[in-house]
Amino acid sequence: MAVNRRVLTLDEFTIQAFRKIPNATGELSALLRDIGLAAKRIHVEVNKIGLVDMLGDTGDVNVQGEEVKKMDVFANNQMIGVLKHGVSCAGIGSEELDDIVVFDDEMSNQSKYVVLFDPLDGSANIDTNVSIGTIFGIYKRKTEKGTACNKQDFLQPGLAQVAAGYVVYGSSTMLVYATRRGVNGFTLDQSIGEFCLSHPDIKCPPDGKIYSVNHGNFFKYEKPVQDYITCCQKKTEKDGGPYTNRYIGSMVADVHRTLIKGGIFMYPGTTGRPEGKLRLMYECNPFAFILEVAGGKASNGMQRVVDIQPTQLHQRTPFITGSKNMVDECLSYLIPSPQPLSTRGEGHSSV
Ligand code: AHM
């Protein structure tokens, strides 16, 4: 089948977008191009993973207490490399590193942005060929240009993100990113090595029929969460169902499907881990931002995820995101309220 060569590449698209913004410097486009380059390098390695010695653990345990996979290290190094050598990033925070990395050289200190990322989310699935992904959130630094950035540039609520995105290394490799102006998806055309606009102006359908949650934890969830899951199982045609359950266990793949097809994705707290498993800064905030821009919602069960004031780089949060009406229904179980459903969730207006 012929490939459409008239579609915009990621580079062309971001440059055209920034030209429409008065006083834009182009630093954000450059940053997205840098991330696109890292994503292409990770894609190449993910695709030949069984052929080269990249499968398996390094033998180290990361700050989260998880086995570090060789591919985690490779992806982390690629992300740091492009961001350090680019002109737009003053420092980074990564799932793989205990602390932030301040680039602190003459050029980086002039840069406008800091980036938080999970270089390879779902890496426990690498060995079995399941889709995995890179997640990133971009913030304007708070400290003055010309100085080294510091922790306060990173500990900003998700609402302050200038852009956020992810790359899914799946049956095709796709980069999706959001700014407040919209969400756009780019598929990697391997024949020319470019991400090409394939999913312009993505909107998350307001309703869906897929709920995505780890059922193995059912008896560790609080009663309201169990009640909502049971409600999903009992849906019939009369009340918007029947629903089906899909849970890959790879957040990027599960939330990507939720964004495109509609549905709800949840990682609630459990009895042993009330704060859940997913990390606020580089997993939940980027997706919360993207889903909200696309017309969906994202909550921790109490408040909008993007409103949470972070206190630590690696803090965790329960996470519920997806189609607006499905998240609203879920929240009606989690946030008992005397208000009628239609006025609930005022604290959940979109980005
Ligand atoms: P990771 O950082 O070790 O890759 O863990 C994050 C992943 C997410 O991609 C996914 O949503 C979740 O862990 C699955 O966890 P569980 O196996 O507990 O359902």
Side-chain angles (χ1 to χ4, degrees):
M1 201 168 61
V3 175
N4 181 359
R5 298 280 185 227
R6 281 172 303 173
V7 293
L8 294 176
T9 65
L10 174 66
D11 231 13
E12 290 168 334
F13 180 88
T14 55
I15 289 168
Q16 287 190 10
F18 102 77
R19 284 208 172 136
K20 291 182 194 148
I21 304 169
N23 307 324
T25 59
E27 269 188 75
L28 185 60
S29 326
L31 190 51
L32 290 164
R33 185 181 55 225
D34 295 341
I35 292 174
L37 174 60
K40 284 189 254 182
R41 290 176 175 158
I42 298 167
H43 156 90
V44 168
E45 226 50 41
V46 166
N47 268 263
K48 59 180 187 198
I49 196 162
L51 299 172
V52 292
D53 184 29
M54 286 298 261
L55 275 179
D57 304 331
T58 58
D60 295 328
V61 172
N62 71 10
V63 63
Q64 323 289 334
E66 298 155 348
E67 300 280 358
V68 177
K69 303 271 174 191
K70 290 181 193 166
M71 264 310 293
D72 283 327
V73 174
F74 177 84
N76 195 43
N77 289 341
Q78 294 311 314
M79 287 293 283
I80 294 175
V82 294
L83 294 171
K84 188 168 167 51
H85 296 133
V87 294
S88 318
C89 184
I92 61 102
S94 163
E95 192 216 9
E96 294 303 325
L97 303 173
D98 294 11
D99 210 347
I100 58 167
V101 177
V102 178
F103 292 153
D104 198 11
D105 56 59
E106 215 175 305
M107 191 169 63
S108 304
N109 287 346
Q110 293 299 332
S111 302
K112 215 197 256 183
Y113 300 108
V114 296
V115 183
L116 281 153
F117 57 82
D118 181 349
L120 210 56
D121 184 73
S123 56
N125 294 309
I126 295 177
D127 299 0
T128 49
N129 245 333
V130 172
S131 298
I132 46 183
T134 300
I135 313 169
F136 58 92
I138 301 171
Y139 294 78
K140 208 174 266 179
R141 60 186 293 182
K142 301 195 89 170
T143 46
E144 241 176 82
K145 263 183 159 189
T147 63
C149 67
N150 65 35
K151 262 270 173 62
Q152 63 159 306
D153 295 312
F154 293 85
L155 294 182
Q156 300 189 52
L159 198 54
Q161 286 169 109
V162 173
Y166 63 89
V167 184
V168 56
Y169 310 99
S171 42
S172 61
T173 290
M174 247 187 105
L175 185 151
V176 175
Y177 83 90
T179 63
R180 280 187 169 67
R181 293 169 170 247
V183 184
N184 290 281
F186 302 80
T187 301
L188 182 61
D189 177 349
Q190 296 191 48
S191 57
I192 56 169
E194 292 283 356
F195 282 104
C196 296
L197 183 63
S198 53
H199 295 61
D201 199 18
I202 298 171
K203 300 281 181 230
C204 179
D207 292 288
K209 289 186 186 292
I210 302 173
Y211 72 101
S212 187
V213 66
N214 186 338
H215 261 282
N217 289 337
F218 186 85
F219 294 106
K220 294 186 201 154
Y221 296 139
E222 285 184 349
K223 175 87 171 45
V225 176
Q226 293 179 345
D227 288 347
Y228 174 67
I229 294 174
T230 307
C231 147
C232 290
Q233 291 170 318
K234 286 185 176 164
K235 290 273 182 192
T236 63
E237 261 170 46
K238 271 198 279 168
D239 50 7
Y243 284 1
T244 190
N245 176 252
R246 297 268 182 276
Y247 187 72
I248 298 169
S250 191
M251 184 189 195
V252 178
D254 279 318
V255 183
H256 178 64
R257 182 199 55 243
T258 305
L259 171 68
I260 304 288
K261 291 195 143 202
I264 187 166
F265 169 86
M266 314 169 63
Y267 204 109
T270 55
T271 39
R273 226 184 209 179
E275 71 287 5
K277 175 182 182 186
L278 302 177
R279 275 56 58 113
L280 172 67
M281 303 292 285
Y282 38 78
E283 293 180 330
C284 301
N285 267 338
F287 276 120
F289 183 89
I290 296 164
L291 266 290
E292 286 202 4
V293 173
K297 281 194 163 190
S299 171
N300 66 355
M302 315 259 282
Q303 64 178 136
R304 277 168 88 193
V305 166
V306 290
D307 281 342
I308 299 172
Q309 175 59 55
T311 53
Q312 287 166 29
L313 192 57
H314 297 291
Q315 78 189 67
R316 297 173 195 264
T317 179
F319 190 52
I320 301 157
T321 195
S323 295
K324 180 183 174 303
N325 295 335
M326 290 179 83
V327 174
D328 277 343
E329 184 171 31
C330 177
L331 293 178
S332 74
Y333 282 78
L334 307 189
I335 313 176
S337 162
Q339 303 165 52
L341 192 61
S342 60
T343 60
R344 269 188 218 162
E346 274 168 357
H348 283 84
S349 59
S350 62
V351 169

